Amino acid sequence: MIQPADVHNQRLVANVHPADWNNPIPADRYNLVVIGAGSAGLISAAIAAGLGARVALVERHLMGGDCLNVGCVPSKSLIRAARAIAEARRAEAFGLPSASANAADFGAVMERMRRIRAQISREDSAKRYRDELGVDVFLGSARFAGADVIEVDGAQLRFKKAVIATGARAAVPAIEGLEAAGYLTNETVFELTERPDRLGVIGGGPIGAELAQAFGRLGSKVTVFGRGPRLLPREDADAAQIIEAQFAREGIATRLGCELKRVERLDTGTRIHLTRADGGQETADVDAILVAVGRAPNVEGLNLEAAGVVFDPKRGVHVDDYLQTRNSNIYAAGDIAMAWKFTHAADAAAKIVVQNALFLRSKKLSSLVMPRCTYTDPEVAHVGLDEREASARGIEFTTFQVPLREVNRAVTDGEEEGFVKIHVKKGSDRILGATIVAAHAGEMVSEVTLAMVNKLGLRAILATIHPYPTQAEALKRVAGAYLRSRATPRMGRILARFMAWRR
Ligand SMILES: Cc1cc2nc3c(=O)[nH]c(=O)nc-3n(C[C@H](O)[C@H](O)[C@H](O)COP(=O)(O)OP(=O)(O)OC[C@H]3O[C@@H](n4cnc5c(N)ncnc54)[C@H](O)[C@@H]3O)c2cc1C
């Protein structure tokens, strides 16, 4: 089911898809049936059961979904190991002998990842959901058999309300020869036990960029192929530029603005034929290809038509702002229905769905302030509007920016690459959005998110004492820059007169 079949993966599977699992006898009718036990499904089921609802949760593969098994958890474990190796390699800067470029034990790194994943998996285990949370867990493929009934493994689950939380999978681009040559996706890349010497990563978005840097640091010769003119195309252009420069320093090659034409299997690997941005033709030879060009929603096999749920294969299940589908008793949450494809977004959506489905239909997706983070080194975190979005909406704004090299903790840690950029509504300290590029940007963005959710401006950040020395002080410095911008010459003259009078 999941490779390699070592002790860690056996422990994982024993938690998230136990071989000896017996599905329960279905209740006459459930308050809530949840399809898919990834982030959105698990949270929906746990909260609803905690509120006293009779809940059934159906999972066809591994409980925990992408995040635990083939997403956040394995990728962040790998990234942490890769960072340790990168730091060891530049250890001379800290007065230690440097580790050699070939020192990484890829097998050991992957085993550590499998051990961590197995350890974390208890939280999402079938037994915990059944025995501790009181959820009826069905392992099998779910499909609608009508507007208020779902079938799984021959059993009929009647429901008052249902949640579709079937997630998404790697979208695969139509490139001639790719299928025949073979490729990795996030579903298979974490099964590797041997490092590919030359890795071609198709896609320069968050997943492609994170894994490209991790594999590069683990010793693969990595090339990232991107259609767009830059890495991380959704992010602030200055942020993307810092990551591109970091990749170049680390020897990760990028082919941006290129069109992949054909893939050809050779005796000694795979050849990628491409057209460069300048129209020139080029080939690149690799040992493995990782596809990371976006996500395709898992709508197939659900028989959504029988339930009157509208969907399409690109956007997934269509929902309104309350996450309700065309069938008012059926909701959808997470990657299957949302543009925000993050675990914390799936989690937040699950809470909305439970409230709207079981109680008053009152919570809206559009009310959320959604941060995000790409875990490259440095990390790139963002919340709210960026310059493009604010301009497109005709909002007048002012941007305050502080480079990390002006923050003492970044200097002492040798992590000076990056910046904090905060956009405020012109003439006020109201935060519209922020981009942070820093070693711990993902941690720092929560402070800005807290401020935005609670309608606190830059003055509130300035009034908050930040421990010295921390990278989060960069936020306070941005707030300080805002306050200085408010000082007028007239105010300066009044203060000078006051001080003269006090002397
Ligand atoms: C490599 C990678 C790294 C990532 N890193 C991060 C990160 O650092 N931070 C972050 O916030 N997000 C990250 N994400 C995104 C995150 O993993 C997803 O947004 C999140 O898992 C979505 O949760 P979900 O519940 O919507 O779907 P999923 O986690 O995909 O769960 C859906 C579940 O439904 C099941 N299912 C599907 N069809 C059926 C059916 N017919 N019957 C029964 N069960 C079914 C599937 O087997 C699956 O278990 C990453 C993703 C990837 C691929």
Side-chain angles (χ1 to χ4, degrees):
M1 187 178 237
I2 182 161
Q3 296 300 321
D6 68 348
V7 56
H8 307 303
N9 278 347
Q10 281 167 14
R11 188 171 156 217
L12 171 75
V13 172
N15 276 333
V16 296
H17 197 118
D20 57 354
W21 188 259
N22 289 318
N23 284 341
I25 295 167
D28 290 344
R29 192 168 159 94
Y30 288 95
N31 295 98
L32 195 70
V33 175
V34 182
I35 309 180
S39 310
L42 288 171
I43 302 286
S44 304
I47 298 181
L51 291 168
R54 192 82 210 255
V55 180
L57 174 63
V58 190
E59 172 55 52
R60 70 175 175 192
H61 187 39
L62 304 175
M63 293 188 57
D66 277 8
C67 182
L68 171 68
N69 299 292
V70 290
C72 330
V73 172
S75 64
K76 267 74 249 178
S77 305
L78 216 62
I79 285 168
R80 179 63 187 92
R83 179 154 57 89
I85 288 156
E87 291 197 331
R89 221 166 267 154
R90 63 182 188 110
E92 263 171 13
F94 300 103
L96 282 167
S98 292
S100 93
N102 296 321
D105 179 343
F106 186 79
V109 168
M110 296 305 266
E111 189 187 351
R112 172 182 176 275
M113 175 273 289
R114 295 195 297 276
R115 178 172 51 73
I116 289 167
R117 181 171 61 182
Q119 180 188 331
I120 292 177
S121 67
R122 206 204 83 81
E123 225 172 293
D124 297 349
S125 71
K127 286 197 185 93
R128 175 168 173 260
Y129 269 73
R130 180 190 63 192
D131 301 339
E132 293 176 27
L133 304 179
V135 172
D136 279 0
V137 176
F138 293 83
L139 296 182
S141 224
R143 69 191 293 278
F144 285 93
D148 65 350
V149 58
I150 286 166
E151 271 178 7
V152 50
D153 208 14
Q156 301 240 318
L157 313 182
R158 301 205 165 272
F159 62 82
K160 180 88 174 144
K161 306 282 175 179
V163 185
I164 305 167
T166 52
R169 60 185 182 278
V172 180
I175 301 170
E176 188 192 328
L178 182 62
E179 286 295 334
Y183 56 87
L184 298 163
T185 67
N186 69 295
E187 271 156 45
T188 45
V189 72
F190 301 112
E191 297 189 340
L192 291 177
T193 50
E194 280 176 32
R195 180 188 67 201
D197 284 338
R198 299 165 301 172
L199 178 68
V201 177
I202 306 183
I207 295 174
E210 287 182 4
L211 291 177
Q213 191 178 38
F215 273 84
R217 290 175 160 196
L218 295 174
S220 295
K221 176 93 195 90
V222 178
T223 308
V224 182
F225 302 93
R227 237 184 172 169
R230 56 180 166 91
L231 286 177
L232 303 178
R234 280 205 206 140
E235 300 299 341
D236 178 285
D238 297 336
Q241 209 198 339
I242 288 180
I243 301 305
E244 281 173 27
Q246 181 68 24
F247 275 27
R249 273 194 294 276
E250 294 187 17
I252 300 167
T254 46
R255 296 282 177 278
L256 300 171
C258 75
E259 195 70 42
L260 301 196
K261 290 288 173 206
R262 188 161 62 87
V263 171
E264 181 189 358
R265 187 150 195 93
L266 309 174
D267 290 342
T268 55
T270 304
R271 178 161 294 165
I272 299 173
H273 298 256
L274 59 103
T275 305
R276 288 194 310 262
D278 64 9
Q281 307 293 310
E282 195 176 309
T283 61
D285 290 351
V286 297
D287 298 305
I289 293 176
L290 172 67
V291 169
V293 295
R295 313 289 296 162
N298 293 323
V299 288
E300 299 80 5
L302 285 165
N303 199 22
L304 293 168
E305 298 84 350
V309 171
V310 178
F311 69 99
D312 72 70
K314 268 212 144 133
R315 246 176 75 195
V317 170
H318 295 196
V319 287
D320 63 14
D321 206 9
Y322 299 92
L323 292 171
Q324 208 165 23
T325 69
R326 185 65 67 80
N327 176 334
S328 61
N329 290 325
I330 301 177
Y331 289 74
D335 285 7
I336 185 66
M338 289 157 41
W340 289 322
K341 291 189 173 20
F342 316 117
T343 288
H344 49 278
D347 180 315
K351 289 170 185 149
I352 290 179
V353 159
V354 171
Q355 160 68 36
N356 291 347
L358 301 185
F359 302 99
L360 207 61
R361 183 176 161 279
S362 59
K363 287 248 169 13
K364 290 184 179 181
L365 191 67
S366 60
S367 70
L368 301 179
V369 177
M370 188 63 62
R372 62 173 184 259
C373 184
T374 299
Y375 299 88
T376 42
D377 182 9
E379 296 177 355
V380 178
H382 179 82
V383 63
L385 301 179
D386 62 19
E387 278 139 338
R388 271 182 305 196
E389 290 160 337
S391 304
R393 291 188 197 185
I395 301 173
E396 286 198 283
F397 63 95
T398 313
T399 302
F400 295 94
Q401 183 168 343
V402 166
L404 261 271
R405 64 174 178 278
E406 290 180 9
V407 179
N408 287 0
R409 179 58 183 276
V411 178
T412 57
D413 284 358
E415 293 170 342
E416 294 168 59
E417 223 38 77
F419 59 79
V420 172
K421 206 187 241 195
I422 299 185
H423 313 295
V424 292
K425 193 163 182 325
K426 195 166 180 193
S428 87
D429 73 337
R430 188 160 80 78
I431 302 170
L432 297 171
T435 297
I436 305 176
V437 183
H440 308 289
E443 310 291 336
M444 289 160 72
V445 79
S446 293
E447 184 174 341
V448 185
T449 311
L450 179 80
M452 290 178 71
V453 169
N454 293 288
K455 305 201 170 12
L456 302 171
L458 285 181
R459 284 173 195 274
I461 289 184
L462 191 63
T464 305
I465 298 173
H466 293 70
Y468 176 86
T470 52
Q471 293 203 0
E473 275 191 298
L475 299 167
K476 200 181 69 177
R477 281 177 150 265
V478 170
Y482 158 76
L483 209 69
R484 280 194 300 283
S485 78
R486 306 290 289 173
T488 58
R490 183 164 171 264
M491 200 188 293
R493 282 196 299 276
I494 293 171
L495 271 172
R497 274 210 294 277
F498 175 75
M499 290 300 168
W501 173 69
R502 296 278 291 165
R503 275 200 286 275

